[in-house]
Amino acid sequence: MSVVIPAAPQAGSKRRMLGLRGPASSAQPLISAHPASPFAESFRLLALNVRTMLSFDARKSVAVMSGYAKEGRSLVAANLALALAEEQRVLLVDERRRAFAGPGSLTDLFRPGGENGGQRIPGEMRRSIVESAHPGVFIMPRLVDTGGPDDDVDAAITHASDAGMYTIIDTPPALTTTAAFEEARLAGNVLYVVRDATTDLDAHRRVRDQLERLNVNVLGILLNEH
Amino acid sequence: MEMRVFARALVRWWFLPVVMLAIALAGVIIYHRIRDKEHASSNVAIMQSYFPPPGEYVPPQLGFDALAGSQDLHARIANALHDGTTADQVGQMLSIDYQPKLNQPNPSPIYKVTIADTDRARAIKIDNIAVQEAKQLYGEINSPSAQDVASAFKTQTDAAQKKVDDARAALLDFEQKNDAFALSQRRDQEFGLIAQLRSAAVTASGRGATTDNGDGAALVAARVELNRLMALEPQYEQLTSDLTLASAARDRLSQRVSDLQIAGPSSAAQLADAQSQFTSVQATYGSALIALGDFQTANGISNLPAAVQGQTTMVNQLVVADATTRESAGAIDAAIGREQAELQRLLALEPQYDQLNLDLVNAESQRTSLSQHVLDVSIGQSLPASIQVRVLQDATIESNMVMTLLTYGLAIFLAVFVSLTAIYLLAYFEKMPASVEDIERVFGKPVIGRIPAAGS
């Protein structure tokens, strides 16, 4: 089964890839659709790196972050979760707000399913963790509204780590909402996604400075040339 | 800025130098198409005067290169071209430059006369005309004008003339008041007359002649004529002096005209000037000659000094004859006494007369010297242009290759410099990361993954 996330239009932006200046793809595949492709291998290698770097981390959680929208955070979060899930169960937290979520959001991609038929994991949370149709991947869907503080993520990470799961959080753009930093603080680790050079260095520096103030560990940079 | 960053920017904006080079080269080509002109140039040397003419040599007051700005020269060249070229256009295409040669000191300066024109043959033609006209004008400008010289010396000349007039008036006044015309001659005549009378007295005393106080009618008439002639002497001297002065000037200018005729056609302007002066002096000489002739006709004499001398001799003879005819020792003695008294009177006047005469001679001498000097200045202080200006090389076309290469080189340099500067500034102010390494440096973390492009 292949699930496709439609690409957002690139209107008005001068596309300049880092060393590669090809056009953005119109569809973002999941590695489960092309398990033997270089695309899938690149996520398996990324998953290996993440596993290694989080091997001594108790919470084993990572926030996938970028400066602005359309950097490929959802693509990375989804495929990293699928790659990690090939060896260990993963909790995928969809924290993108409605304003930033397109029709092909993670909540839509990872619909309930699986052996337990999308069975919910009970807990003291407003949002339930549901097993998705992809083996080993559990989804915590995005908030329907934006009102009020949400402690579900911290609890979900705790539950997941207690269950020996990795937690991958798909955050909103860091420079447009502070929620991304809140989730980064809860995760403790950040995977910083960079697609092209449309984000200037000053913006990257602002993200870095804020992460340092929150004592968040940046695992590394992920270059999205897709 | 690191060289790596600049090199990356150079790779990114590689087209900037290419575009700038294309624009610069196109600009230079268009510039040369529109502005390029052929340059024809000649070399001219201004010779120093190794053999100065009579009178003191004075270096030219105006250098040859100064002629480049002369509207007169531009107009002359334009007139010589007869093709509608205006003096202003000539002025824009003409340049005269001094050619310094420090390694070979040369007392004669060398100048390059250059004409810039789009047509090669025309440039050469105009350049040759420019050299000839400049040569002509140079000679004219650096030769003093007779009128200017006369005006410059007018004060001194007038003063000298006034001095002569005053001295002559004083002498004439003295002669009139004291009946002392031609004092020296009359003194000598009195000496001779007295000697003759004494001789007659010795002869008459031997014969026992008696004395008589009266003179004969012929003697009286001869004395009247002698006095008339002597009275004419001051005016006669004035007229002969003017004639002598005019004659000297005429002779000198005649020699100058002859010299310039030998010098050739290049001295035509100076020859014309000298001939003009000669004509003027000739007229003055003629006027003086006519005035003297009128004077001689009106007074019935041709040579006044000779006439006075002859009349004096005649008077002396008549006096002696008259005394002898009377055969009166008393009359002879009376005549001797009268003449001795006259002699004493003349001798007494002689010192003052000599002084006045000397003043007149000195004044006339000074005036003559001044006139001669003025004449020397006006005709003798500069060599003709044909001698001073020598054309070392006729007009030839100069190569523009160096200038052309220089403009192309400059254009290329500027294009490269400007484009590299622009790239440097672009790189300097560029905030976007030039590479993923820039982002790595910001976070201090490596790239741990790379999602390949679609299709790879």
Side-chain angles (χ1 to χ4, degrees):
Chain A
M1 185 182 72
S2 71
V3 178
V4 175
I5 301 173
Q10 297 294 317
S13 68
K14 182 182 177 184
R15 184 168 177 74
R16 292 188 302 167
M17 299 297 290
L18 297 176
L20 297 170
R21 291 184 170 75
S25 60
S26 59
Q28 297 172 345
L30 295 179
I31 62 171
S32 55
H34 305 281
S37 65
F39 178 76
E41 288 302 317
S42 68
F43 277 101
R44 290 191 183 98
L45 181 60
L46 175 64
L48 175 61
N49 287 334
V50 170
R51 269 198 299 272
T52 304
M53 297 171 87
L54 296 181
S55 57
F56 296 102
D57 189 285
R59 292 165 69 88
K60 297 187 186 305
S61 57
V62 177
V64 179
M65 180 182 270
S66 68
Y68 292 104
K70 305 187 188 312
E71 299 277 351
R73 293 183 314 282
S74 296
L75 171 74
V76 171
N79 287 292
L80 177 60
L82 291 172
L84 287 170
E86 290 178 354
E87 294 190 9
Q88 204 166 348
R89 290 185 302 169
V90 175
L91 170 60
L92 184 58
V93 180
D94 185 1
E95 277 297 290
R96 301 203 307 170
R97 298 298 188 262
R98 181 183 299 278
F100 308 106
S105 66
L106 295 183
T107 303
D108 298 329
L109 281 172
F110 292 87
R111 292 194 178 91
E115 295 175 354
N116 298 319
Q119 181 184 0
R120 293 171 179 269
I121 298 176
E124 300 294 329
M125 297 181 291
R126 287 198 296 172
R127 290 181 286 171
S128 300
I129 298 171
V130 182
E131 185 178 7
S132 74
H134 297 274
V137 178
F138 292 79
I139 180 73
M140 184 175 181
R142 63 182 164 85
L143 283 171
V144 175
D145 56 70
T146 57
D150 181 17
D151 297 331
D152 288 355
V153 175
D154 189 25
I157 293 172
T158 302
H159 281 299
S161 62
D162 290 345
M165 298 169 64
Y166 285 96
T167 302
I168 306 297
I169 305 174
D170 182 17
T171 66
L175 293 171
T176 53
T177 173
T178 56
F181 291 105
E182 171 64 19
E183 285 141 14
R185 184 184 65 80
L186 294 174
N189 300 291
V190 160
L191 181 61
Y192 195 73
V193 181
V194 174
R195 178 190 283 280
D196 55 25
T198 53
T199 305
D200 64 39
L201 287 173
D202 287 342
H204 293 309
R205 289 191 187 99
R206 288 203 298 275
V207 173
R208 176 203 62 192
D209 294 343
Q210 183 58 39
L211 292 176
E212 284 178 355
R213 278 192 286 275
L214 297 173
N215 198 26
V216 175
N217 176 42
V218 178
L219 296 178
I221 297 161
L222 180 64
L223 180 59
N224 179 14
E225 297 174 349
H226 184 74
Chain B
M1 179 184 291
E2 294 178 14
M3 183 56 72
R4 178 184 55 81
V5 176
F6 180 74
R8 192 176 294 118
L10 188 60
V11 170
R12 184 185 298 180
W13 289 296
W14 61 271
F15 52 88
L16 272 181
V18 175
V19 170
M20 288 299 294
L21 271 176
I23 292 172
L25 292 177
V28 172
I29 290 171
I30 293 170
Y31 172 81
H32 282 295
R33 285 276 178 87
I34 295 174
R35 300 284 301 174
D36 256 9
K37 289 183 177 178
E38 299 289 352
H39 288 78
S41 65
S42 308
N43 286 330
V44 174
I46 307 300
M47 309 297 287
Q48 297 293 342
S49 178
Y50 294 110
F51 303 100
E56 184 184 2
Y57 172 71
V58 177
Q61 299 297 303
L62 192 69
F64 195 75
D65 50 347
L67 296 178
S70 167
Q71 284 288 336
D72 189 9
L73 178 60
H74 302 162
R76 289 182 185 209
I77 296 170
N79 290 336
L81 279 173
H82 292 303
D83 63 354
T85 305
T86 64
D88 288 341
Q89 289 171 333
V90 171
Q92 289 171 1
M93 63 176 68
L94 172 68
S95 64
I96 301 177
D97 301 304
Y98 175 64
Q99 303 288 292
K101 289 184 180 299
L102 296 178
N103 57 338
Q104 296 174 347
N106 192 336
S108 298
I110 297 174
Y111 298 91
K112 185 167 78 169
V113 182
T114 304
I115 288 288
D117 192 79
T118 51
D119 183 70
R120 176 173 294 211
R122 188 165 181 270
I124 291 177
K125 176 187 173 186
I126 299 175
D127 196 56
N128 284 328
I129 291 173
V131 169
Q132 292 307 318
E133 294 295 340
K135 184 176 171 182
Q136 189 75 22
L137 182 59
Y138 178 77
E140 291 174 21
I141 286 177
N142 286 302
S143 299
S145 161
Q147 286 184 344
D148 292 344
V149 173
S151 299
F153 283 95
K154 188 173 187 310
T155 305
Q156 295 96 315
T157 307
D158 289 348
Q161 184 62 45
K162 185 174 185 305
K163 200 171 177 182
V164 170
D165 293 342
D166 291 347
R168 178 170 287 120
L171 180 60
L172 183 62
D173 184 56
F174 177 79
E175 288 176 333
Q176 286 175 342
K177 283 180 180 174
N178 298 286
D179 185 22
F181 295 111
L183 184 67
S184 300
Q185 293 175 11
R186 288 176 62 184
R187 179 199 60 200
D188 294 341
Q189 290 161 9
E190 287 298 334
F191 275 125
L193 180 59
I194 290 169
Q196 290 178 26
L197 285 171
R198 282 178 178 164
S199 175
V202 171
T203 305
S205 62
R207 289 200 300 261
T210 57
T211 60
D212 192 346
N213 290 329
D215 286 339
L219 179 57
V220 172
R223 284 188 187 277
V224 170
E225 175 62 11
L226 180 59
N227 287 335
R228 186 184 74 85
L229 293 176
M230 286 181 172
L232 292 173
E233 271 197 333
Q235 190 179 357
Y236 180 81
E237 285 178 3
Q238 174 69 49
L239 291 171
T240 53
S241 174
D242 290 346
L243 184 63
T244 304
L245 205 60
S247 176
R250 187 190 62 163
D251 293 345
R252 179 145 180 76
L253 282 168
S254 174
Q255 184 63 41
R256 171 70 172 172
V257 168
S258 176
D259 291 345
L260 290 171
Q261 284 172 338
I262 294 171
S266 57
S267 306
Q270 289 177 312
L271 176 60
D273 187 43
Q275 284 175 332
S276 172
Q277 291 182 57
F278 178 74
T279 304
S280 173
V281 170
Q282 180 74 10
T284 305
Y285 176 75
S287 299
L289 204 56
I290 289 169
L292 181 60
D294 290 346
F295 174 82
Q296 289 170 332
T297 304
N299 294 287
I301 53 162
S302 61
N303 187 343
L304 187 61
V308 169
Q309 182 69 33
Q311 191 66 29
T312 304
T313 304
M314 187 171 73
V315 168
N316 289 349
Q317 290 172 350
L318 285 172
V319 169
V320 173
D322 188 58
T324 305
T325 303
R326 292 172 187 270
E327 293 182 349
S328 168
I332 294 172
D333 289 341
I336 291 172
R338 190 170 61 247
E339 297 304 330
Q340 280 183 330
E342 176 65 9
L343 180 60
Q344 291 299 323
R345 188 183 72 84
L346 293 175
L347 289 174
L349 292 172
E350 198 167 21
Q352 192 176 356
Y353 177 84
D354 286 347
Q355 182 60 48
L356 291 170
N357 200 34
L358 183 62
D359 290 345
L360 177 59
V361 169
N362 285 340
E364 286 183 334
S365 174
Q366 288 177 4
R367 186 190 62 173
T368 304
S369 298
L370 183 60
S371 299
Q372 190 67 27
H373 179 65
V374 171
L375 200 58
D376 286 344
V377 168
S378 64
I379 66 174
Q381 285 190 339
S382 64
L383 289 174
S386 61
I387 297 174
Q388 287 184 281
V389 181
R390 297 289 178 87
V391 180
L392 300 183
Q393 177 191 304
D394 285 333
T396 54
I397 293 294
E398 287 185 331
S399 171
N400 287 336
M401 184 58 70
V402 174
M403 192 61 191
T404 304
L405 290 176
L406 273 178
T407 51
Y408 274 102
L410 183 63
I412 291 170
F413 171 77
L414 284 178
V416 171
F417 178 78
V418 169
S419 56
L420 290 183
T421 303
I423 290 172
Y424 179 87
L425 292 175
L426 284 170
Y428 184 80
F429 290 108
E430 176 64 83
K431 288 185 175 179
M432 299 304 170
S435 69
V436 73
E437 286 81 7
D438 292 338
I439 302 173
E440 286 181 334
R441 271 196 295 277
V442 170
F443 285 94
K445 297 290 182 179
V447 173
I448 59 172
R450 183 184 292 265
I451 304 171
S456 63

